[in-house]
Amino acid sequence: MQIYANPRHAAHDGRQEMFRGKLVPCHEVPARLEHVLAELGRRPLGEIQAPPPVPRALLEAVHAPRYLRFLETAWDEWVALDAANAALDALPSVWPVRGFRADVEPDNFAARLGLYSFDAGTPLTAGTWAAAEAGAACAAAAATAVTGGARAALALTRPPGHHAGHDFFGGYCFVNNAAVAAQALRDGGARRVAVLDVDYHHGNGTQSLFYERADVLTVSIHGDPRTEYPFYLGHADEIGAGHGLGCNLNLPLPAGTDFAGWRQALDAALARIAAFAPDALVVALGVDTYEGDPISRFRLASADYLTVGAAIAGAGLPTVFTLEGGYAVAAMGVNVVNVLEGFEAAAR
């Protein structure tokens, strides 16, 4: 398996987030990826490489140019407001909701921070842009490897990406790595691409990016948005629109779902992907479905991830994996590598 690791992921290291009404230490921490790298050291699946730079045109095919410019300059602007801000994370406090305008970019930094975000749980730090851009480079490199004939490639992307949309960040995500991989596959000649999101939380950013496109099928298995973050997308009646009508499938499940129930949803997801007949598959690989995850409520055991990987391999498609959620940090490496090991064993 071709593996691309983000060499700058630790540059994004948030101090705190707003969680359930109070500021708490960030759940999304550099150790998440370090545990995966350590487990890949114990169970090697391929050479771990650094990616080449991501083409700006690819990023702008996924995200609005003015949004990318904001991410690039936001930290410097934040510190320019007050030198003491260098010791603080930037967290939004105002947002344009229904009836407000979002087409005019304000001059005020706090207003722009809110314009481009949808929660107060995603701190922007000194190294956020460097880490996010390098993570997207991993996704692009993995897609290029698959386009070039690799059976599978892994993008060890951190921060994660599936909550980031065309011009917004949130849910610990700034650049949508799964979408970057899907677009890179399309640009590389794939006629159709499927994105399978197995994170506990709905990939609202990915859905919104491809919702009106017929060339990318988006499928997500996740906690029911009536009770689970990100709440405002992810319902079963969201099936795409315009040219993309029928090209979005949401499979929301209740909190407490065990592996047997989750596996039924995975089978339905894979059947829909097979019917779409894509040339390649992107898997947004979150392992916050784990029974020990502190902010999620499914009940998959570590051994179940071997079966998940084998089932995904059964699709028989060239596959890019992008790393998403998983906040039981010590178990992160075992769970991620179990998916990959199960995939590799079944794909032989």
Side-chain angles (χ1 to χ4, degrees):
M1 181 176 290
Q2 301 285 321
I3 303 173
Y4 298 90
N6 184 346
R8 306 194 69 182
H9 80 93
H12 175 70
D13 189 6
R15 297 170 177 87
Q16 58 187 359
E17 64 178 91
M18 181 66 72
F19 183 72
R20 295 174 183 168
K22 59 185 177 181
L23 288 171
V24 301
C26 289
H27 291 96
E28 204 288 301
V29 295
R32 297 175 61 249
L33 193 145
E34 298 299 338
H35 278 284
V36 178
L37 288 170
E39 190 64 22
L40 285 169
R42 287 186 285 270
R43 290 188 280 164
L45 295 173
E47 179 186 359
I48 299 174
Q49 309 166 63
V54 60
R56 182 66 174 215
L58 176 58
L59 292 181
E60 291 186 356
V62 174
H63 294 289
R66 74 172 191 173
Y67 168 68
L68 295 170
R69 287 194 298 270
F70 173 76
L71 290 179
E72 286 181 285
T73 62
W75 182 257
D76 289 342
E77 292 185 60
W78 171 240
V79 175
L81 291 172
D82 184 340
N85 284 348
L88 303 171
D89 295 338
L91 284 171
S93 58
V94 292
W95 294 269
V97 295
R98 291 174 296 278
F100 284 42
R101 291 186 64 175
D103 59 316
V104 178
E105 187 179 54
D107 293 331
N108 180 277
F109 176 80
R112 276 183 291 123
L113 185 64
L115 176 68
Y116 293 122
S117 69
F118 70 90
D119 67 23
T122 307
L124 194 149
T125 76
T128 294
W129 172 248
E133 184 182 35
C138 292
T144 298
V146 166
T147 297
R151 173 68 173 84
L154 167 65
L156 288 178
T157 47
R158 185 194 161 270
H162 71 150
H163 293 305
H166 181 62
D167 59 357
F168 60 82
F169 68 87
Y172 313 141
C173 303
F174 298 91
V175 174
N176 194 308
N177 303 305
V180 167
Q183 186 61 51
L185 289 165
R186 284 285 292 115
D187 293 346
R191 293 176 302 106
R192 291 183 171 188
V193 176
V195 180
L196 171 63
D197 192 323
V198 296
D199 192 279
Y200 180 79
H201 304 95
H202 176 251
N204 61 293
T206 312
Q207 173 176 307
S208 65
L209 282 163
F210 296 116
Y211 202 64
E212 297 187 19
R213 286 175 54 170
D215 58 334
V216 179
L217 171 72
T218 47
V219 181
S220 180
I221 307 167
H222 51 270
D224 190 327
R226 291 176 298 177
T227 61
E228 308 305 311
Y229 184 94
F231 305 114
Y232 307 115
L233 280 181
H235 297 278
D237 63 354
E238 297 158 12
I239 60 172
H243 293 298
L245 187 64
C247 292
N248 189 79
L249 174 64
N250 286 327
L251 297 164
L253 299 172
T257 295
D258 62 11
F259 183 57
W262 192 92
R263 176 59 194 273
Q264 289 181 356
L266 178 61
D267 289 343
L270 292 171
R272 179 68 186 90
I273 290 167
F276 185 69
D279 297 317
L281 174 66
V282 177
V283 178
L285 179 56
V287 292
D288 44 2
T289 50
Y290 176 57
E291 60 191 353
D293 196 275
I295 61 173
S296 307
R297 298 193 290 169
F298 286 166
R299 295 192 288 119
L300 275 65
S302 289
D304 295 329
Y305 292 108
L306 291 161
T307 304
V308 172
I312 292 170
L317 294 166
T319 302
V320 173
F321 292 92
T322 62
L323 190 65
E324 299 292 348
Y327 307 101
V329 176
M332 182 89 178
V334 169
N335 293 340
V336 168
V337 177
N338 277 1
V339 174
L340 304 174
E341 193 172 82
F343 180 95
E344 290 281 83
R348 290 192 184 110

